[in-house]
């Protein structure tokens, strides 16, 4: 999504940034005699690049991938840039043996949005451990759309440094520098080099599927040419590996035995051989019978944490959003866009669409949120009842307006209705046609359920919209297409399942098939919107984090529906990469080094982006993985994200929200009553405003799932939830607990009739990500009893499994151990070196500057205790201790951070 303050990458609207390399996929490269007659070799191809700084949405690999750009704005094969750094920046090339050169060629990158030509540059070479300027240099051009050639006296060295001086000296006015391709030309005296070989990223493979190998080999062409034999082989692993073509860098491999494998790609011959390897984890496929999600129905929340937070959403944030969106002069575009579209379709005077092209998402999210909020039992609370009455009136007002804005064929997006344009055009991928349509489908489901399936107006309109998409998109003669911002894919599957459940098996299958078609159309684009590769060949989480998680969630849906092992392999690989290399302790994602996106592996800076919408996307993905693999670890991650990354998205008053959720927040956005800059009142971007809202209100969906043989309890929260269709009966589940403040949980099951089924209760463990370790170890169940009788249940995949005939009133009592834990990060996470975080149960804790300096050291010997403070932040359990200087430590749950002003951090100094 476009951020509140559009970044340089957003201005480019998702231009392709996929990196590639000169690929030698045949058995042999050109023979040595033929190569000798070729142009002088580009020595950069076998150099290792480094820099003073590389912006996260660019890559050093792009510098020497051998690509010849079309223009200075060509980002199709990746770019190097140092935005938003200015002043002197440098790029180094290093060789494993001395090279001789007298010429470099530089193709500058100028995107017109923060990256441009330098004001000047110089070239140094390393000699006798000193940097020396090249002599008699001629060139140093600054022209666009061409290679700028610089010649100089021949040098022999193992290292060259290109030093660039940016145009402007500060980040406010300066222009950062960027390069698309940087060649170093052999003077004819350089030795032969082995090729540069890259095997690819580590991944997971489900037995029955194949892994797509996209190896890359770069070799010199010219006087220093080598001949190269390519070969894939199994370096290690418990079983055989079958390669489709072992002598092609781009091929596939299949496995038949589970376990850990290493695959090696070798290239070259004689003494000039290089190799690289990747790791593959091969696993059995998930169970054939999936778990089913629980549809929302009337529910009651009694949990002390959630009850107050959800009340604030219902009585403060939703009314605030409705007031904003009802303003006919709202510059970001609210309900008035639909009014104008309806006018135009009725042949009446109409204005143009206002706000971002996807401004309709505001309204769709609000409808879904209102619908879910109306399912919440007010329990006699006058404020909630009044807010719910307002919501009913608003739905009655808005629904006719929205229906009038739908085009006769079912198409719905006011930007196109009012401003014109071709639907589903590659030119308008960034205008979010699928994004807004998907949110409408999801809103229609929520509204239809809220009305007890009595009011089908939005539901019928959603079917009409989905049918319109099915009629226009698909194999020839229909259109191939994909949206620049994923959402329609997961929405179509959700809607298709709902139609199947509501109208009969098969009735919604066309929508699910369209979802897969949209996914399968991706490829040939850029990493920013995950269109760089076909989805089944994506094994690494890259690009814009919201778009990524929505894509991966939709892929997980298709894997669940089709049991396609290539989809299963890709989704599991992406999940593994994200959770174990790019995942924050709070359950959020997106370091922000790329535009609202992922950084490199283990690059988890604490001034993180962690956009609220990306955190919602993480929860969606974990939910689908739980339904697929039926393992409690995915529910553990749901709990982490829900309580830490999402529950704190809004302040205690319900008037301000977080667009981003850094772990070191110095309060830079949205003034709150003069108490410091911490949150937004509103956002010009139609995403997080309503997204976190609907996710938090849908807590029963995250709390439970249905297995073919019974019921699954994933989250603990004081509540009453009615669940239909549990092993042939309906079941009311009543939870009584103050979790996560304490670990005592009481469950009362009230099946409509006595029925034998299996109950699975999650045994919490918050040590899923290998990025973090906890001390002391806390896990398991202290006790579990049924109707007062203690039992020792079987534990399977992290669940206590109990099969029996359940009768109304049966009670289960369990005790979940909770204790203060110290968290340490993987040493490869540089940002958390010599730091420690604190956790109690699922809750991550912060310290805040209002309680003292956040730079104090917490020694390993400090005794840590938890203490209930009813008068602090609405009542919270704090963590107490003593810093090294003798001052008091007081840590608060992350979800109540930044309600008192100042700075708030998760990772404390411990050295």
């Amino acid at each position: 999504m476009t951020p509140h303050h559009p970044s340089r990458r957003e201005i480019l609207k998702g231009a392709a940034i996929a990196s590639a390399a000169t690929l030698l996929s045949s058995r042999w490269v050109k023979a040595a005699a033929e190569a000798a007659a070729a142009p002088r070799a580009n020595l950069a191809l076998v150099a290792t690049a480094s820099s003073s700084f590389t912006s996260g949405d660019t890559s050093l690999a792009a510098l020497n991938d051998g690509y010849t750009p079309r223009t200075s704005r060509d980002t199709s094969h990746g770019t190097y840039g140092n935005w938003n750094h200015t002043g002197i920046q440098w790029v180094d090339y290093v060789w494993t043996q001395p090279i001789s050169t007298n010429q470099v060629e530089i193709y500058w990158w100028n995107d017109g949005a923060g990256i441009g030509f330098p004001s000047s540059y110089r070239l140094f070479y390393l000699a006798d451990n000193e940097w020396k300027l090249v002599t008699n240099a001629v060139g140093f051009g600054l022209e666009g759309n061409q290679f700028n050639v610089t010649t100089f006296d021949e040098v022999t060295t193992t290292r060259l440094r290109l030093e660039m001086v940016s145009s402007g000296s500060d980040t406010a006015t300066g222009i950062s520098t960027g390069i698309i391709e940087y060649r170093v030309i052999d003077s004819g005296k350089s030795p032969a080099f082995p090729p540069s070989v890259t095997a690819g990223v580590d991944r997971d493979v489900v037995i029955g599927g194949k892994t797509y190998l996209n190896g890359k080999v770069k070799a010199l062409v010219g006087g220093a040419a080598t001949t190269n034999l390519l070969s894939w082989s199994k370096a290690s692993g418990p079983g055989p590996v079958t390669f489709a073509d072992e002598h092609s860098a781009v091929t596939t491999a299949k496995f038949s035995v589970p376990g850990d494998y290493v695959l090696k790609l070798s290239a070259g011959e004689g003494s000039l051989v290089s190799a690289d390897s990747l790791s593959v984890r091969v696993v059995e496929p998930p169970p054939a019978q999936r778990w089913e999600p629980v549809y929302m129905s009337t529910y009651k929340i009694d949990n002390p944490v959630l009850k107050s937070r959800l009340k604030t959403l219902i009585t403060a944030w939703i009314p605030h959003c409705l007031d904003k969106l009802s303003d006919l002069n709202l510059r970001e575009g609210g309900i008035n866009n639909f009014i104008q579209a309806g006018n135009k379709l009725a042949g009446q005077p109409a204005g143009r669409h206002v706000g971002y092209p996807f401004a309709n998402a505001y309204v769709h999210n609000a409808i879904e949120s209102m619908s879910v909020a109306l399912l919440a039992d007010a329990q006699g609370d006058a404020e909630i009842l009044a807010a719910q009455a307002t919501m009913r009136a608003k739905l009655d007002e808005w629904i006719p307006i929205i229906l009038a804005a739908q085009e006769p064929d079912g198409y719905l997006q006011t930007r196109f209705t009012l401003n014109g344009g071709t639907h589903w055009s590659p030119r308008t991928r960034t205008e979010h046609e699928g994004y807004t349509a998907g949110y409408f489908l999801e809103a229609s489901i929520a509204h239809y359920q809220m009305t007890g399936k009595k009011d089908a107006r939005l539901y019928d309109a959603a079917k009409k919209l989905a049918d319109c998409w099915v009629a226009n998109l698909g194999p020839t003669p229909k259109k191939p297409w994909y949206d620049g911002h994923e959402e329609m894919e997961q929405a179509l599957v959700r809607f298709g399942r709902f139609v199947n459940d509501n109208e009969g098996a098969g009735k919604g299958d066309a929508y699910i098939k369209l979802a897969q078609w949209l996914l399968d159309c991706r490829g040939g684009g850029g990493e920013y919107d995950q269109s760089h590769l076909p989805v089944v060949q994506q094994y690494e989480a890259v690009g814009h984090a919201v778009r990524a998680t929505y894509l991966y969630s939709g892929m997980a849906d298709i894997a669940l529906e089709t049991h396609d092992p290539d989809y299963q392999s890709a989704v599991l690989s992406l999940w593994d990469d994200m959770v174990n290399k790019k995942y924050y302790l709070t359950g959020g994602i997106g370091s922000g080094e790329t535009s609202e996106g992922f950084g490199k592996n283990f690059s988890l800076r604490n001034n993180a982006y962690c956009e609220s919408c990306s955190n919602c996307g993480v929860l969606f993905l974990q939910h689908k993985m739980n339904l697929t693999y039926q393992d409690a670890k995915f529910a553990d991650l749901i709990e982490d994200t829900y309580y830490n990354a999402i529950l704190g998205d809004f302040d205690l008053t319900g008037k301000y929200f977080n667009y981003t959720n850094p772990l070191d927040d110095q309060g830079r956005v949205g003034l709150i009553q003069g108490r410091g800059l911490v949150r937004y009142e509103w956002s010009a971007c139609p995403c997080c405003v309503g997204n976190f809202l609907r996710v938090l209100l849908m807590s029963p969906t995250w709390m439970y799932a249905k297995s073919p043989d019974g019921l699954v309890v994933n989250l603990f929260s004081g509540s009453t939830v009615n669940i239909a269709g549990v092993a042939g009966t309906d079941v009311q589940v009543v939870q009584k607990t103050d979790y996560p403040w304490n670990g005592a949980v009481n469950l009362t099951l009230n099946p409509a009739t006595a029925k034998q089924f299996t109950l699975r209760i999650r045994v919490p463990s918050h040590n899923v990500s290998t990025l973090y370790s906890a001390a002391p170890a806390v896990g398991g169940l202290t006790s579990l009893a049924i109707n007062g009788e203690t039992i020792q249940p079987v534990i399977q995949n992290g669940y206590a499994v109990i099969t029996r005939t359940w009768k109304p009133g049966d009670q289960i009592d369990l005790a979940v151990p909770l204790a203060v834990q110290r968290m340490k990060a993987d040493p490869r996470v540089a940002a958390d070196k010599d730091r420690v975080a604190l956790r109690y149960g699922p809750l991550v804790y912060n310290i805040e500057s209002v309680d003292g300096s956040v730079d104090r050291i917490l020694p390993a010997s400090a005794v840590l205790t938890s203490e209930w403070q009813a008068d602090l932040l609405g009542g919270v359990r704090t963590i107490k201790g003593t810093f090294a200087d003798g001052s008091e430590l007081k840590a608060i749950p992350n979800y109540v951070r930044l309600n008192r002003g100042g700075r708030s951090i998760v990772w404390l100094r411990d050295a």
Side-chain angles (χ1 to χ4, degrees), residues 704 711 713 716 731-737 743-751 757-762 781 783-791 793 800-815:
Y704 300 103
L711 179 65
V713 180
F716 306 122
V731 179
Q732 182 190 72
V733 186
V734 180
Q735 288 197 40
K736 294 181 180 179
T737 179
V745 180
N746 171 269
L747 293 169
T748 300
L749 298 186
N750 294 311
F757 59 84
T758 297
L759 179 69
R760 290 174 174 84
I761 302 173
R762 180 175 66 97
L781 294 176
S783 64
L784 191 151
I786 299 177
N787 296 328
E789 181 179 345
T790 299
I791 66 168
V801 182
I802 309 163
T803 301
R804 57 170 282 160
T805 298
W806 298 97
K807 302 182 298 296
D810 278 346
Q811 295 195 19
I812 304 98
D813 288 285
L814 58 140

Side-chain angles (χ1 to χ4, degrees), residues 343-521:
N343 288 344
K344 183 174 181 179
L345 292 174
Q348 300 173 4
R352 290 180 63 80
H353 176 92
V354 174
Y356 283 119
F358 52 104
N360 293 169
Y362 282 128
V363 173
H364 298 328
N365 283 168
I367 287 175
E368 183 172 7
S369 298
M370 284 190 284
S371 298
V372 178
L374 287 168
L375 291 171
D377 186 341
Q379 302 179 58
D381 187 299
E383 292 179 285
I384 295 177
L385 288 168
Q388 289 177 328
T390 299
M391 292 177 208
R392 289 190 181 90
K394 187 58 65 176
L395 286 170
D396 288 342
E397 173 192 343
W398 278 5
I399 289 175
I401 294 172
I402 294 167
L403 296 179
Q406 187 172 32
E407 296 185 15
D409 65 353
Y411 187 88
L412 179 62
Q413 198 202 41
T414 65
R415 171 260 180 263
F416 282 88
T417 300
L418 291 171
N419 296 3
T422 301
H423 299 165
W424 308 293
S425 167
R427 293 177 176 270
T428 55
R429 290 196 203 283
T430 60
E431 310 238 330
H432 298 59
E433 289 175 85
Y435 179 78
T436 57
Y439 278 151
F440 180 67
L441 296 182
E442 297 198 84
S444 75
I445 295 171
H447 178 262
Y448 193 45
Q449 290 174 302
M450 182 272 293
T451 66
K453 301 182 180 179
K454 296 176 182 177
D455 184 347
R457 288 177 295 167
L458 288 182
Y459 176 62
D460 288 343
K463 284 197 295 181
K464 188 176 180 181
L465 180 149
D467 289 339
C468 171
W469 280 64
V470 168
N472 286 278
L473 299 177
T476 306
K478 301 178 186 179
K479 287 185 178 183
W481 191 76
Y482 65 86
D483 198 337
H485 197 309
E486 302 89 334
E487 152 61 13
M488 188 57 160
E489 301 84 354
Q490 64 178 353
L492 279 166
V493 177
R494 182 183 175 191
F495 190 71
R497 287 175 182 159
F498 185 78
V499 171
N500 281 337
D501 292 342
N502 188 56
E503 299 185 19
K507 297 291 186 179
D509 286 357
Y511 310 138
I512 297 171
K513 290 177 182 176
L514 176 59
Q516 183 169 1
W517 171 258
L518 294 176
L519 291 170
D520 289 342
C521 282

Side-chain angles (χ1 to χ4, degrees), residues 120 232 272 300 387 437 464 497 532 540 746:
S120 64
W232 282 100
L272 300 176
K300 180 168 67 174
K464 188 176 180 181
R497 287 175 182 159
H532 57 300
E540 181 180 19
N746 171 269

